[in-house]
Amino acid sequence: MDPVQENSQYPLVSKFILSAFAATVAELVTFPLDLTKTRLQVQGEAGLREHGKPGPARTVYRGMLSTAVGIVREEGPLKLWQGATPAVYRHIVYSGGRMVAYEQLRESVLGKSEDGSFSVWKAAVGGMVSGAFGQFLASPTDLVKVQMQMEGRRRLEGKPPRVRGAYHAFIKIVSEGGIRGLWAGWVPNVQRAALVNLGDLATYDSVKHLLLRHTSLEDNCLCHGLASTCSGLVAATMGTPADVVKTRIMNQPRDSSGRGLLYKSSVDCLVQAVKGEGFLSLYKGFLPTWLRMAPWSMTFWLTFEQIRRAVGISSF
């Protein structure tokens, strides 16, 4: 049977489940790096200084390794997985949605060329659209994840905890900002996801099939590993600035109507960061972002390709 026909006949819900499972494995393996990245991105925040918000007596600028060691020493090793539950919930929705959407766009909407290839521009469009779609659906879980990740830092600064768990965070957000409050920060969230998937999905798909067409590599783990390494680097480079803005908007305090007190919009956050901290502040946390995306991407794609093969679906 032709691979395109085979893929189109396979139930979409099954592809969604396989994508969600592979993403869950990758998320749990690499989550401590995500927590470290989040802590690095909000330290020295210019918006807090401008609005006179209380903070620690002195901002401690630490690198990735020392930040991770500090979390273990000051808060305990299990805190490296604080916020992992909503992160897994997020990837069930986000990765399941983006992968199914990308395959549908590739096979049915944008379409492959007569020789079976999928042009780079189509891969870029498909990656951005599917990433934005998946992230919009998953934005509430991302908001909860970011707020939970910052609870350890708040306790060390002597601030009262905002949330006691994923369920309490959801209830608190809805009570303060209504259902719309669950989508606070969705614009930079979706922008980041579009850029990340332009790097991740488009790069993986393009590099993998480029290797298969122009080298002697077969469709195996080596090919998948090389393609995923490239996709992780491109995704981190394109997505880090939007990730910094997204994290700060989601972590800012809000008024009784759910409006942010520090930033009016993602553009305002971007301008404040560059003016107050310099352009390179947009790449705070780049190293842990890349070091997380590289193993995340490799773990995800290797797991995803293998379980597709195991259940009889053709390679991605």
Side-chain angles (χ1 to χ4, degrees):
M1 180 182 294
D2 182 76
V4 173
Q5 293 179 336
E6 176 189 326
N7 280 332
S8 63
Q9 292 177 9
Y10 210 90
L12 295 181
V13 67
S14 298
K15 292 182 179 180
F16 182 96
I17 292 172
L18 296 181
S19 302
F21 176 78
T24 299
V25 172
E27 188 69 15
L28 291 176
V29 169
T30 62
F31 189 80
L33 285 170
D34 185 56
L35 178 65
T36 303
K37 173 208 70 177
T38 302
R39 295 288 183 90
L40 285 171
Q41 286 175 339
V42 297
Q43 68 176 0
E45 201 166 348
L48 288 173
R49 296 196 299 270
E50 289 186 10
H51 287 78
K53 297 296 179 182
R58 179 175 62 88
T59 301
V60 180
Y61 290 92
R62 300 186 292 191
M64 179 191 69
L65 182 60
S66 60
T67 298
V69 171
I71 293 172
V72 173
R73 182 184 299 117
E74 297 162 6
E75 305 170 43
L78 291 181
K79 293 301 180 181
L80 289 173
W81 279 270
Q82 184 164 354
T85 299
V88 169
Y89 292 160
R90 171 194 178 248
H91 266 290
I92 290 174
V93 179
Y94 167 64
S95 287
R98 73 183 180 114
M99 297 303 294
V100 169
Y102 183 82
E103 282 202 79
Q104 287 299 107
L105 288 171
R106 184 180 65 181
E107 308 297 345
S108 304
V109 179
L110 298 172
K112 294 183 177 181
S113 303
E114 293 182 0
D115 61 355
S117 63
F118 193 52
S119 61
V120 174
W121 76 266
K122 288 184 178 181
V125 171
M128 293 184 72
V129 171
S130 58
F133 169 73
Q135 185 57 56
F136 180 77
L137 295 179
S139 277
T141 55
D142 211 20
L143 176 61
V144 171
K145 182 194 76 170
V146 169
Q147 293 198 358
M148 287 185 65
Q149 285 179 327
M150 297 311 300
E151 284 308 300
R153 181 191 177 194
R154 288 178 62 85
R155 283 195 295 271
L156 290 176
E157 294 174 357
K159 299 177 182 178
R162 290 184 298 188
V163 296
R164 296 189 297 271
Y167 177 75
H168 177 249
F170 271 112
I171 298 301
K172 182 174 183 292
I173 292 168
V174 172
S175 65
E176 292 178 352
I179 296 298
R180 289 182 61 185
L182 290 172
W183 272 267
W186 73 269
V187 174
N189 226 359
V190 167
Q191 290 170 343
R192 173 190 177 271
L195 291 172
V196 167
N197 282 278
L198 171 60
D200 183 38
L201 276 173
T203 301
Y204 179 84
D205 197 14
S206 299
V207 171
K208 174 188 169 182
H209 290 95
L210 184 69
L211 290 172
L212 292 176
R213 287 196 303 270
H214 299 289
T215 72
S216 59
L217 285 178
E218 297 181 356
D219 192 358
N220 54 24
C221 290
L222 177 58
C223 177
H224 304 158
L226 290 173
S228 65
T229 299
C230 295
S231 67
L233 177 59
V234 176
T237 302
M238 302 192 70
T240 297
D243 194 33
V244 171
V245 172
K246 177 211 75 171
T247 298
R248 292 186 174 193
I249 285 181
M250 286 186 156
N251 190 56
Q252 69 177 322
R254 301 184 180 278
D255 61 19
S256 58
S257 300
R259 291 190 295 267
L261 298 177
L262 302 183
Y263 309 110
K264 299 175 183 177
S265 64
S266 57
V267 174
D268 181 45
C269 180
L270 180 73
V271 171
Q272 285 196 44
V274 173
K275 282 186 176 180
E277 304 162 61
F279 177 77
L280 291 181
S281 66
L282 298 178
Y283 280 88
K284 278 187 175 180
F286 172 78
L287 182 59
T289 296
W290 177 52
L291 290 179
R292 177 177 187 262
M293 279 191 172
W296 194 99
S297 183
M298 183 170 292
T299 303
F300 171 78
W301 287 111
L302 289 176
T303 303
F304 185 56
E305 294 277 21
Q306 292 304 308
I307 59 177
R308 282 174 70 102
R309 183 171 298 176
V311 299
I313 308 179
S314 65
S315 176
F316 182 82

